[in-house]
Amino acid sequence: MSENPYVSHEARILEVKDLTPREKLFTLRFVDPEVGENFNFKPGQFVIVDVRGFGEFPISLCSSPTRKGYIQLCIRKAGRMTKFVHKMREGEIVGIRGPYGNDFPMEEMEDSNLVLVAGGLGMAPLRSVLWYAIDSGRYEQIWLFYGTKAYEDLLFRDEVVHLLKHGDAVNCKVKLAYEVESPSCVYLEKGFSDRVCRGVVTDLFRGEEFDVENTYALICGPPIMYKFVVRELLNRKLSPGRIYMTLERRMRCGIGKCGHCVVGTSTSLKYVCKDGPVFTYWDALSTRGLI
Amino acid sequence: MRYIKLPSENFETFFNSLREWGKIYGPVKKGEVYSFQEVQGAGDMALDYNRTMLPPKKFFVRPRDQILHLKNGRWENGVDDERFVLFGLHSCDIHGLKILDKVYLGEPADPYYKARRKNALIIGISCMPDEYCFCKSLGTDFAMDGFDLFLHELPDGWLVRVGSVRGHEIAWENEELFDEVTEEDIQHFKEFEERRASSFQRKLSKEGLADMLDLAYNSPVWKKYADICLACGNCNMVCPTCRCYEVCDKWINAYEAVRERRYDSCFMESHGLVAGGHNFRPTRLDRFRHRYYCKSYFDPSAGFNCVGCGRCDEFCPAGIEHVKVLDEVRGSLQ
């Protein structure tokens, strides 16, 4: 059974937490301790969630491998499958197979500065990087630029607001941008006028200077965001090889067979599930349709 | 390579001896088209066929395939262990299987494909090109491997190339049916291949093709053909190298479900759709262009993703011709 790469492993839901009206955080642990022991993932990788008898969907891991014993998935209610999962409760079982895809080069980036740029749900995979970086303590300055539609859409609100207030102690500078005004935003903006603003995520770059020789940028967000963020980073002379982004595509198998995530043209054809989901801006320049 | 001769009078006995391996599937004429079907006798087959509608991929990546069975809340899977013979594959289709091998046997291997591939005895057969074939341009007109035995037509029998250990074993077990190859046979083989090489009517100019197409991303030719295209996905179904599949779970009763995969087509709007409704290939133009890019992708280690079998042309209801589209796109650069 275990040799079949399409068969998932049983995982129990330990906790379900509402993050926003649309997103929930699921904390899971593998039923078989041996499977859990062998499940080694890296920030940026994803898993396929198997709701037996209903279907499968890919989702990025939002917990960090530095925190062992469980995995966390931030799931937005976006379709039939995720709607079903949102109804699941603590103690219930789902299937998990993976981890799949490549990852952010955390080791290569050690002793460097990290600029994490998240848009909306893009915060999920970057949370894995963020906690990895903070827990390991092997990185210089960490910036988190996080843009959402409204305060209510802020994922991992407690953690993010905590880091906004106390992040400097762990070399993490959090900046938030929102589009729709609300009392909570105004309150935050009053307290942290240099870190919270109304606008889009690229507005957060204002006033920030990076040491281009020693900084990596990691981006995740809706498709429209990449072009603008990349432009902002290139304006600051960051090398395309130091700009990493993680992409979303329809994935059925996760192992480069089903063909749904193929991007590119006759000179460069890539499977996002296998060759990605993490790509550099160099990859985007040579593979049309990547961003 | 080992070469032996199968005289015409021994053909039927040889065919019947293959039954020991398993069920035999060969090209059969049905109305105006050919298809690979189970055959009982050598006479059931139409060995002078041009091309079947569905390529042999249907035996390995099935149009509908139940991969997992949910029983008592757990998945069960069973890979096929039935051996079978594919008799009379053309060189292009053998190359098509090699391209599928690269995908499905690449780590981690697809267990269903792997088992079926292991169980299949592949017997190739020589052919004469028709007006749709352009395999010669892609170098897939001759198979050097990927088969167990390959039969080349001679006036009085078949020149057999032995391509695998399994092929050797079969020849060994049927030793009495085969003769040594004579000088005359070699002469006939040479003549046949030369006549075949000069019979191709269609040619794809592939020099720098991948880059030319990439450079012509915004060519109006894509739009011209995308407007004619019916987006039916026929070309995907009949292509020996198209292998996209969709997966769905189905309940068969209150306690049991199956996970089934089935052919998908990049011409369908749902192909590039992700959660939340964003589509990475929203227009027919995007999808049309994508298929051509996928087929013309040049992998330095495996060549193009197209084997020039001509199926997409023959079975396109809109009459779109693959080579013509590529030539026009390339031409639009000047």
Side-chain angles (χ1 to χ4, degrees), chain B residues 72-140:
Chain B
N72 303 322
R74 281 175 193 274
W75 287 121
E76 290 177 3
N77 67 93
V79 290
D80 307 339
D81 54 1
E82 203 177 309
R83 300 198 304 181
F84 60 100
V85 180
L86 283 185
F87 199 102
L89 260 59
H90 288 166
S91 168
C92 57
D93 281 345
I94 290 172
H95 279 275
L97 285 178
K98 281 162 65 179
I99 291 171
L100 292 185
D101 283 353
K102 219 175 138 55
V103 175
Y104 280 94
L105 299 181
E107 277 302 315
D110 182 282
Y112 310 98
Y113 183 91
K114 193 177 170 184
R116 288 167 194 161
R117 203 68 175 92
K118 193 176 87 201
N119 289 332
L121 184 76
I122 307 280
I123 302 202
I125 204 158
S126 59
C127 54
M128 269 295 161
D130 70 358
E131 71 270 31
Y132 296 110
C133 299
F134 58 99
C135 53
K136 188 165 181 268
S137 311
L138 293 163
T140 52

Side-chain angles (χ1 to χ4, degrees), chain A:
Chain A
M1 280 286 271
S2 60
E3 282 172 22
N4 188 324
Y6 301 114
V7 177
S8 57
H9 297 289
E10 289 183 340
R12 192 176 301 280
I13 300 174
L14 298 181
E15 194 192 352
V16 185
K17 199 176 149 194
D18 287 332
L19 293 178
T20 75
R22 283 196 298 174
E23 282 105 1
K24 284 187 183 187
L25 179 70
F26 291 81
T27 305
L28 306 158
R29 180 183 291 154
F30 287 102
V31 173
D32 182 347
E34 201 182 323
V35 173
E37 200 66 36
N38 294 329
F39 188 87
N40 296 314
F41 71 99
K42 290 173 174 170
Q45 289 194 294
F46 67 96
V47 291
I48 301 258
V49 177
D50 175 9
V51 188
R52 293 162 182 206
F54 292 90
E56 295 184 310
F57 60 94
I59 204 106
S60 60
L61 287 150
C62 71
S63 54
S64 163
T66 48
R67 302 182 179 194
K68 295 201 184 299
Y70 64 91
I71 57 168
Q72 286 183 320
L73 308 172
C74 168
I75 301 176
R76 172 181 285 182
K77 189 158 60 172
R80 191 178 62 89
M81 290 298 310
T82 44
K83 199 171 159 187
F84 187 89
V85 171
H86 264 235
K87 286 188 190 145
M88 296 183 92
R89 297 278 165 261
E90 278 136 42
E92 288 193 74
I93 300 276
V94 291
I96 298 284
R97 56 187 181 91
Y100 294 130
N102 65 356
D103 50 283
F104 290 108
M106 298 311 295
E107 282 169 23
E108 183 195 317
M109 298 189 294
E110 275 176 20
D111 303 321
S112 303
N113 304 311
L114 304 180
V115 183
L116 311 181
V117 189
L121 195 51
M123 184 59 210
L126 291 183
R127 178 184 182 247
S128 182
V129 177
L130 182 67
W131 288 115
Y132 183 94
I134 290 176
D135 288 351
S136 65
R138 276 177 274 189
Y139 301 85
E140 293 282 317
Q141 177 66 38
I142 303 162
W143 280 270
L144 171 65
F145 297 159
Y146 183 14
T148 57
K149 191 142 271 168
Y151 180 79
E152 288 67 36
D153 295 323
L154 208 60
L155 294 172
F156 313 108
R157 206 178 300 151
D158 300 348
E159 296 171 13
V160 171
V161 172
H162 177 81
L163 280 175
L164 176 73
K165 291 176 179 167
H166 310 291
D168 291 337
V170 285
N171 292 337
C172 178
K173 184 175 180 185
V174 174
K175 294 180 87 175
L176 303 174
Y178 60 92
E179 289 176 47
V180 181
E181 205 168 81
S182 68
S184 307
C185 292
V186 175
Y187 170 75
L188 275 183
E189 206 174 329
K190 267 189 188 150
F192 301 91
S193 55
D194 58 331
R195 296 193 179 188
V196 180
C197 74
R198 187 173 178 182
V200 288
V201 75
T202 43
D203 294 333
L204 301 174
F205 284 82
R206 223 174 290 141
E208 297 295 341
E209 289 303 325
F210 312 122
D211 169 14
V212 289
E213 295 299 315
N214 197 31
T215 302
Y216 289 86
L218 299 85
I219 318 169
C220 187
I224 183 83
M225 197 188 86
Y226 292 91
K227 215 166 62 182
F228 295 102
V229 173
V230 166
R231 192 191 295 163
E232 201 68 41
L233 292 163
L234 293 177
N235 281 345
R236 276 150 210 277
K237 304 280 181 278
L238 204 69
S239 151
R242 285 170 179 263
I243 302 176
Y244 285 90
M245 42 212 176
T246 169
L247 305 179
E248 178 195 17
R249 284 295 186 280
R250 165 172 264 198
M251 296 162 190
R252 281 288 179 254
C253 66
I255 50 176
K257 316 284 186 215
C258 80
H260 282 102
C261 67
V262 165
V263 288
T265 57
S266 45
T267 50
S268 170
L269 211 58
K270 292 203 156 65
Y271 288 90
V272 173
C273 71
K274 208 170 56 143
D275 303 317
V278 176
F279 293 95
T280 65
Y281 187 58
W282 284 133
D283 295 323
L285 283 177
S286 58
T287 308
R288 224 187 270 263
L290 209 58
I291 58 168

Side-chain angles (χ1 to χ4, degrees), chain B residues 51 134 234-236 238-239 291-292 306 309-317 320 322:
Chain B
R51 67 181 61 73
F134 58 99
N234 243 13
C235 49
N236 294 125
V238 301
C239 177
R291 176 167 189 276
Y292 277 82
C306 167
C309 68
R311 283 186 177 89
C312 53
D313 289 6
E314 185 175 345
F315 300 109
C316 176
I320 296 173
H322 193 90

